Amino acid sequence: MMRRAAACLVLMQGVAAQTVLSPLRVAYGAVPPSAHASLLLPFDARTAVAAFWSGPDFVVVADQPLPALSHLSGDHGLFSSPDVTVLERATVIRLYLPAHPQLSFSRQSDGWILQTDVSGHAGASSAPSAGSMPVFMPGAVLFPQKQAGRVLMLPDPVSGQRLLIAPSLGVTGGVPQGRRAEGYSIRPSLEGLVIAADSPQIALRGTAEGVVLDAVALEPLPVGEKEAPSASASASVAMHGADWVWLGFGAAGGGQKASSRQPSRLDSAQAAFASGQPWQALRVLDRTPASEAPATSTSTSTSTSTSTSTSTSTSTSTSTSKAARNDTAQIAGTFLHAAASLLAGHTGQAQDLNDARFGDAPATRVWRGLYLMQTGQNSQTASTLLAAGFAQMQAYPAAVRALMVPQAATYVARFGDAASAALLDPQPDESAYDLARALLQARAGLAETARVALENLTASSSAQTAAYARAALVGLMLEKDMLAPATAAEAYGKLLENEGQPAALPSGPKATIRLGQAHAFALAGQPQAALAVLDRVLAGPDVPEDVLSSAYLAILRGLVFPETVRGAPAGGAALAAPLSAADRIGLIAAHLPHVEDGPAKAKLLAGYGRLLLADGRLDAALAAFGQAALLQDNPVAKADAEDLLAQAALQAHRLDVAQRALDRARHPGLPEDLATQCAYDAARLTVALGEPDRALSLLERDETDAGLELRGQVYEAQKRWPEAVLVMGRLATRSVPEDGVLTEPQQELVSRLATDAAAAQDSATLLRLKGWLAGRTLGAERDERFAMQIRSIKPLSPAH
């Protein structure tokens, strides 16, 4: 383990000292030809992969869960013991190769093959690198990886640093040399793109054009390049940004109509959009004939006239100018169509708002926030983008503003962090913002003011606003202990019934009410009811995917750690009807896939693994502890999970797994109790491997109960009876009381010590035990055996 730690330290020092990271092939030198090894990874054509170094480990990440690889094995060489962890959405394969041999990684018909590259050429292909040609765009960097898989976020297996991984479906050649930039670094890789994020702002996402990296914050890091102002825009439009040009907000009346020509269909669509009719804008754009479709920038025509060089130049200039206008019109039409689709409720046609061209530019990223909001994606990303663009949206024409800003304000008030919520102040003094205003008052601690405002809104003429207000009112009263959890759950149920209301319950408030009811059921100690309600909720604008994941996490945490439930008695569960271990395990297993991977899930998995271990489900416990260790970014928590994995592996007689886990668990900064437990488990492993003397060496200074117990076992196995008596005597002295009835474990301990003493012919210890017991029983069978051991003592004096 010390060699592994040293290798990691050398690597990190090298990274910190260079702007360009060392190429993979020269990192640690080569292996001799005799060490040639290969490993076939049977990934199908739908599985994308990334491959890179993490300290002494070579790591392969697939963007699919592949349980069949759990028992993957290589040849008898370098790749003989791959460590495979199957997550809900990925599979991670680690190979401990501290010498960093030169490797190649290539696509075969039956999968990918990893092998030592004795030719001296690291990598697998002469194809252009996926990450060596980034395109710097306004506010973002595009990596044109056309066959990118699902973007994954995992902690670095060694350092715990957040890694953003874009696996590839095809051969790209990876990234031969890494690079550093503000807030992140590009890791060298043999395949796929791997970004080490130094800043929490840094994010990575897949688009049709490739993988896009940007910074999401109210004051984002300078990723990419600054947006250049449009040369064709008027001064009033340029002061706003490209969004005003493309949406047609620059001219009075909305459209960008030129006085020297008839309005085009784009002009008409812009005018309709600016007047608050996105559906009409879509109708205009969707019936644009092919003859009027704007040309692309690559369709520049050249005059066929060659009479003079002047006429040729003039014709080419005119054609180029026309192509530029057509290109501008096409971009405007694409953006307008996407924006109109979003506001008209056709989110499937609004994907362009999330692409590399519009999603990160300062003038249009607020529209990406709206897209993420409407499609139920990460609420923190969406609310940050919306809050940062709140003033920008408020400057839009009133008809457009009414369609987007009130719902954006309510969304940020519900899900945004404190800094984002602060940017909503001041809000327009309009009734459309009353719900957001009440929610912000509740967040600010003005509970009574918020309660009155919400009660007033329950009588709103808008069925949707009234339903939202009723749900928020129940939630506020539950939070402030004005309602008991069971009563709140019942109140939410009545809201879902919607009795006495003039209109049907809209789908948005229905999802919000169900989320609240699940939370109330969980607080009332009814996890089954809570999960049943939550299973009927789909991610959307009212329950974003991360909020839904957090709701599942909270309920499952109550099942794994019952003492964390609000109102639980000290040391006990707050379940209204206590569940059996099998029922708890079944509920957890069925709903774990709904919790997104990360450190919070890692803690949950560690507790879940303990439940499985106690129930004797060793294979499931091994999987849970392995996932917990991989997903944990805190070194101490990671070491604890690795040690739990080792304990489960020892019980399952998976000594290879236990050895790897204990190697990774060793860390110089571990708390004393955890370090002692790791040492104890390492000793247990050496005993299982048939190395008792090594185990005794490891336990030499271990005076814990577990350490003494194991030392006693080793001495007994070696029939070293005097040493066994000394160790077990110390354990009995601290564990067995001088008076009172003995428990079953205490009776067993005394009987064991007596047996060791008899074998050592230690009469003094046997007599001390007789006096210590003072007539107390060890159980009928043990009492009889102990009497025989006492009778075997040769009298030392008449008193005996």
Side-chain angles (χ1 to χ4, degrees):
M1 183 61 190
M2 292 301 295
R3 290 184 289 112
R4 297 181 63 165
C8 179
L9 180 60
V10 169
L11 176 67
M12 297 310 295
Q13 288 174 339
V15 168
Q18 302 178 54
T19 301
V20 178
L21 306 182
S22 300
L24 284 173
R25 57 175 300 207
V26 299
Y28 280 84
V31 292
S34 61
H36 178 76
S38 64
L39 178 66
L40 176 65
L41 303 174
F43 302 144
D44 62 25
R46 296 168 297 177
T47 302
V49 299
F52 56 96
W53 288 101
S54 171
D57 291 340
F58 186 74
V59 182
V60 179
V61 177
D63 69 345
Q64 304 287 338
L66 303 169
L69 294 186
S70 296
H71 301 290
L72 177 72
S73 62
D75 58 21
H76 297 291
L78 289 174
F79 306 149
S80 60
S81 299
D83 190 340
V84 181
T85 305
V86 181
L87 303 172
E88 297 292 349
R89 298 166 184 83
T91 301
V92 180
I93 302 169
R94 288 174 287 178
L95 291 157
Y96 179 54
L97 302 172
H100 275 222
Q102 295 176 23
L103 302 175
S104 66
F105 194 58
S106 55
R107 192 79 169 89
Q108 306 291 328
S109 60
D110 51 353
W112 289 80
I113 187 165
L114 174 69
Q115 55 189 338
T116 52
D117 185 0
V118 298
S119 67
H121 299 288
S125 170
S126 59
S129 166
S132 61
M133 298 183 295
V135 178
F136 290 87
M137 308 177 68
V141 180
L142 168 67
F143 299 90
Q145 189 172 328
K146 292 298 184 182
Q147 290 185 298
R150 181 168 47 212
V151 173
L152 303 168
M153 183 173 68
L154 294 170
D156 182 271
V158 170
S159 68
Q161 185 178 28
R162 187 168 63 104
L163 298 183
L164 307 173
I165 303 170
S168 175
L169 286 166
V171 176
T172 66
V175 179
Q177 288 187 326
R179 294 180 176 85
R180 281 196 173 279
E182 187 173 358
Y184 69 95
S185 60
I186 303 173
R187 289 273 191 94
S189 65
L190 263 65
E191 194 53 68
L193 176 69
V194 181
I195 303 291
D198 302 319
S199 168
Q201 296 186 13
I202 300 300
L204 192 68
R205 71 182 191 277
T207 70
E209 297 86 354
V211 184
V212 177
L213 181 144
D214 72 334
V216 179
L218 298 178
E219 297 182 3
L221 293 171
V223 175
E225 62 184 18
K226 292 184 178 180
E227 183 178 41
S230 172
S232 62
S234 67
S236 62
V237 174
M239 67 181 290
H240 292 291
D243 54 333
W244 279 58
V245 179
W246 296 333
L247 296 175
F249 294 163
Q256 290 286 302
K257 301 176 181 63
S259 58
S260 60
R261 60 182 175 85
Q262 290 295 319
S264 68
R265 291 184 183 270
L266 176 60
D267 295 330
S268 299
Q270 288 175 330
F273 186 85
S275 63
Q277 303 179 65
W279 45 90
Q280 177 62 26
L282 283 178
R283 281 196 289 268
V284 172
L285 290 172
D286 288 341
R287 68 170 182 260
T288 299
S291 60
E292 293 188 25
T296 65
S297 58
T298 57
S299 62
T300 304
S301 61
T302 304
S303 173
T304 56
S305 173
T306 57
S307 58
T308 66
S309 60
T310 302
S311 62
T312 300
S313 175
T314 301
S315 176
T316 302
S317 175
T318 302
S319 179
T320 302
S321 176
K322 181 179 179 181
R325 288 197 303 271
N326 285 342
D327 186 49
T328 300
Q330 184 190 37
I331 294 173
T334 300
F335 183 75
L336 178 62
H337 191 281
S341 297
L342 187 69
L343 296 190
H346 307 312
T347 53
Q349 300 176 33
Q351 293 179 352
D352 284 330
L353 299 176
N354 194 43
D355 72 3
R357 179 167 42 177
F358 303 126
D360 301 284
T364 55
R365 67 191 334 226
V366 68
W367 285 91
R368 178 180 161 217
L370 287 165
Y371 174 79
L372 296 179
M373 176 185 77
Q374 294 291 6
T375 53
Q377 298 187 53
N378 185 274
S379 67
Q380 292 308 298
T381 300
S383 60
T384 299
L385 295 174
L386 291 173
F390 191 66
Q392 175 185 341
M393 290 187 289
Q394 286 182 304
Y396 285 168
V400 176
R401 193 167 63 235
L403 294 175
M404 55 193 301
V405 186
Q407 62 175 327
T410 302
Y411 183 92
V412 175
R414 287 187 65 194
F415 304 118
D417 59 20
S420 295
L423 291 181
L424 301 182
D425 189 31
Q427 293 185 60
D429 188 17
E430 302 171 17
S431 60
Y433 296 89
D434 285 346
L435 179 60
R437 192 174 293 111
L439 295 174
L440 290 174
Q441 288 167 347
R443 288 183 57 156
L446 304 174
E448 182 59 21
T449 303
R451 185 188 65 79
V452 172
L454 290 171
E455 283 186 347
N456 291 335
L457 286 173
T458 61
S460 171
S461 59
S462 165
Q464 181 153 301
T465 298
Y468 278 129
R470 286 192 289 271
L473 184 59
V474 175
L476 176 64
M477 296 178 72
L478 173 62
E479 180 185 355
K480 301 302 180 182
D481 291 324
M482 301 178 194
L483 285 179
T487 306
E490 183 179 354
Y492 281 123
K494 291 180 179 179
L495 293 183
L496 287 171
E497 294 170 2
N498 203 41
E499 291 183 3
Q501 299 303 318
L505 183 64
S507 60
K510 185 181 293 184
T512 300
I513 293 168
R514 282 182 172 148
L515 182 67
Q517 187 181 40
H519 175 60
F521 272 133
L523 293 180
Q526 302 181 54
Q528 288 171 301
L531 291 170
V533 171
L534 211 55
D535 286 344
R536 302 183 65 185
V537 178
L538 298 177
D542 292 278
V543 186
E545 59 186 14
D546 57 315
V547 173
L548 185 58
S549 170
S550 296
Y552 276 109
L553 175 66
I555 298 170
L556 296 183
R557 187 183 290 125
L559 284 168
V560 174
F561 310 108
E563 66 277 5
T564 64
V565 178
R566 192 172 90 184
L575 301 178
L579 300 173
S580 68
D583 288 339
R584 289 169 67 195
I585 289 172
L587 283 172
I588 297 165
H591 294 91
L592 265 175
H594 296 291
V595 180
E596 62 184 24
D597 291 339
K601 185 174 182 177
K603 183 177 180 181
L604 183 71
L605 283 164
Y608 175 50
R610 289 179 186 271
L611 290 178
L612 293 167
L613 196 59
D615 202 49
R617 308 188 191 197
L618 295 181
D619 288 343
L622 285 169
F625 289 138
Q627 292 172 351
L630 185 67
L631 293 175
Q632 186 57 257
D633 59 359
N634 179 280
V636 173
K638 180 186 285 287
D640 186 43
E642 294 284 11
D643 183 65
L644 290 170
L645 174 60
Q647 293 177 31
L650 283 168
Q651 288 194 34
H653 304 291
R654 295 286 303 278
L655 304 186
D656 56 334
V657 175
Q659 182 69 72
R660 288 195 298 267
L662 287 171
D663 284 345
R664 290 194 295 262
R666 294 174 188 165
H667 189 278
L670 293 183
E672 183 178 354
D673 58 342
L674 180 55
T676 299
Q677 182 63 47
C678 288
Y680 169 71
D681 291 327
R684 289 178 60 203
L685 175 61
T686 58
V687 170
L689 291 170
E691 303 177 22
D693 291 337
R694 184 179 167 203
L696 292 172
S697 176
L698 290 171
L699 294 169
E700 183 178 7
R701 298 182 180 179
D702 187 350
E703 290 295 317
T704 64
D705 289 356
L708 292 174
E709 163 72 22
L710 183 56
R711 285 163 69 185
Q713 291 179 16
V714 175
Y715 285 134
E716 290 165 348
Q718 293 182 308
K719 298 184 178 181
R720 295 167 60 176
W721 304 116
E723 291 97 328
V725 170
L726 289 174
V727 170
M728 299 308 295
R730 291 206 296 276
L731 183 58
T733 299
R734 71 171 63 157
S735 303
V736 181
E738 295 184 8
D739 50 37
V741 178
L742 300 182
T743 65
E744 173 65 25
Q746 290 166 349
Q747 294 173 7
E748 174 61 30
L749 177 57
V750 172
S751 180
R752 182 176 163 189
L753 175 56
T755 300
D756 292 345
Q761 297 182 358
D762 186 344
S763 301
T765 297
L766 285 171
L767 291 173
R768 280 197 298 270
L769 278 176
K770 180 182 178 182
W772 199 2
L773 286 173
R776 291 178 291 176
T777 182
L778 299 177
E781 184 177 341
R782 296 191 190 102
D783 283 344
E784 183 178 348
R785 183 167 60 247
F786 184 61
M788 292 176 60
Q789 292 163 343
I790 292 295
R791 288 196 296 270
S792 69
I793 297 175
K794 295 180 180 180
L796 299 179
S797 70
H800 296 153

